[in-house]
Amino acid sequence: ITVNKTAFYHTLGNVKTAQTIWIVLHGYGYLAKYFINKFNPIIDDNTAVIAPEGLSKFYLNGVGYDGRLGASWMTKDNRETEIEDYINYLDQLYKTILEENKTTGLKINVVGFSQGGATASRWLANQKSNCDNFILWASAFPEGVDLKLLSQNSKLFALMGDDDKFISEEQINNYEKLLKDANIKCQLIRFVGKHDIPEQVLLEQTDLNNW
């Protein structure tokens, strides 16, 4: 059966008056209220950040009913249904943002970090929501997504740390080959760092790429 569910998101800056809005999707095990703080350095009078939270929460230690919580966008169980649910959720959030913000020439950046990268890819490929810049951070396009649908209306970027324990050099090489074979223009950016969003890298790349 289909039921209504309450979804949560967090914001930084003034969404109603911002000229640039970032929609940032967290990785597995994060909570949006903590993940959004990584984007504090780019907040100014013209910039706002929105961090939606995955629809499923769990205890990170996996035992008992206490301790830190994390959120997830999906699992392999009822996979297609969970994908449909989060796409509908993100489309509704996107529509709400556009209704609140009346700024002429609004720029929208979407960041998908780790698991959030696959989530964002599937969401944007559905083509009910659009962005100016789609930034995969410590992630990769998921199998089954038509990359041409993502590149039609957005500039694509992929950022990967040189000490990311979840991404091997072989995976990066395969990733580059995939993009080349598909004739997809995506700027691959390597940085010194781990599986994270370093403040200095975020600031530098935002300035360099006019995000």
Side-chain angles (χ1 to χ4, degrees):
I1 62 171
T2 301
V3 299
N4 291 326
K5 180 177 175 62
T6 301
F8 296 90
Y9 67 96
H10 294 261
T11 65
L12 293 172
N14 192 328
V15 175
K16 293 182 179 180
T17 61
Q19 295 177 332
T20 300
I21 292 178
W22 295 64
I23 304 174
V24 298
L25 277 63
H26 64 78
Y28 177 83
Y30 284 79
L31 290 179
K33 64 181 178 181
Y34 299 124
F35 180 69
I36 198 172
N37 291 330
K38 295 181 181 294
F39 298 87
N40 257 316
I42 63 171
I43 293 297
D44 57 31
D45 292 341
N46 299 316
T47 304
V49 178
I50 298 172
E53 189 165 82
L55 295 173
S56 299
K57 294 191 181 74
F58 57 94
Y59 291 100
L60 290 174
N61 60 15
V63 179
Y65 305 96
D66 197 9
R68 290 179 56 203
L69 288 173
S72 172
W73 290 103
M74 61 169 286
T75 65
K76 64 182 180 181
D77 190 41
N78 296 318
R79 178 177 179 274
E80 296 303 322
T81 302
E82 289 196 333
I83 291 173
E84 182 179 354
D85 285 344
Y86 71 57
I87 287 176
N88 289 336
Y89 158 36
L90 294 171
D91 279 336
Q92 185 174 337
L93 177 58
Y94 182 89
K95 182 180 178 182
T96 300
I97 294 167
L98 294 187
E99 289 174 350
E100 288 184 7
N101 184 288
K102 304 301 181 182
T103 304
T104 302
L106 174 66
K107 181 195 297 181
I108 295 182
N109 300 323
V110 172
V111 176
F113 174 74
S114 198
Q115 188 194 44
T119 302
S121 297
R122 296 187 182 101
W123 166 45
L124 294 174
N126 198 48
Q127 292 202 307
K128 289 185 178 179
S129 304
N130 298 306
C131 68
D132 296 277
N133 299 297
F134 178 27
I135 305 155
L136 280 177
W137 202 303
S139 185
F141 298 111
E143 292 183 7
V145 169
D146 186 344
L147 300 182
K148 287 185 172 59
L149 294 177
L150 295 177
S151 61
Q152 282 178 355
N153 302 308
S154 307
K155 292 181 180 179
L156 304 184
F157 301 85
L159 286 83
M160 299 181 185
D162 65 349
D163 191 24
D164 191 327
K165 65 180 181 180
F166 296 106
I167 304 175
S168 67
E169 197 65 33
E170 181 182 2
Q171 288 174 308
I172 294 174
N173 292 335
N174 291 337
Y175 187 54
E176 289 182 299
K177 185 177 184 302
L178 170 68
L179 293 169
K180 184 177 179 181
D181 290 347
N183 196 27
I184 300 298
K185 187 176 181 180
C186 176
Q187 186 174 343
L188 183 59
I189 301 167
R190 306 293 300 274
F191 64 88
V192 177
K194 300 181 183 295
H195 193 72
D196 198 3
I197 301 177
E199 176 179 333
Q200 194 57 38
V201 177
L202 176 61
L203 289 170
E204 288 175 354
Q205 294 301 323
T206 297
D207 184 52
L208 284 172
N209 299 300
N210 193 30
W211 293 340

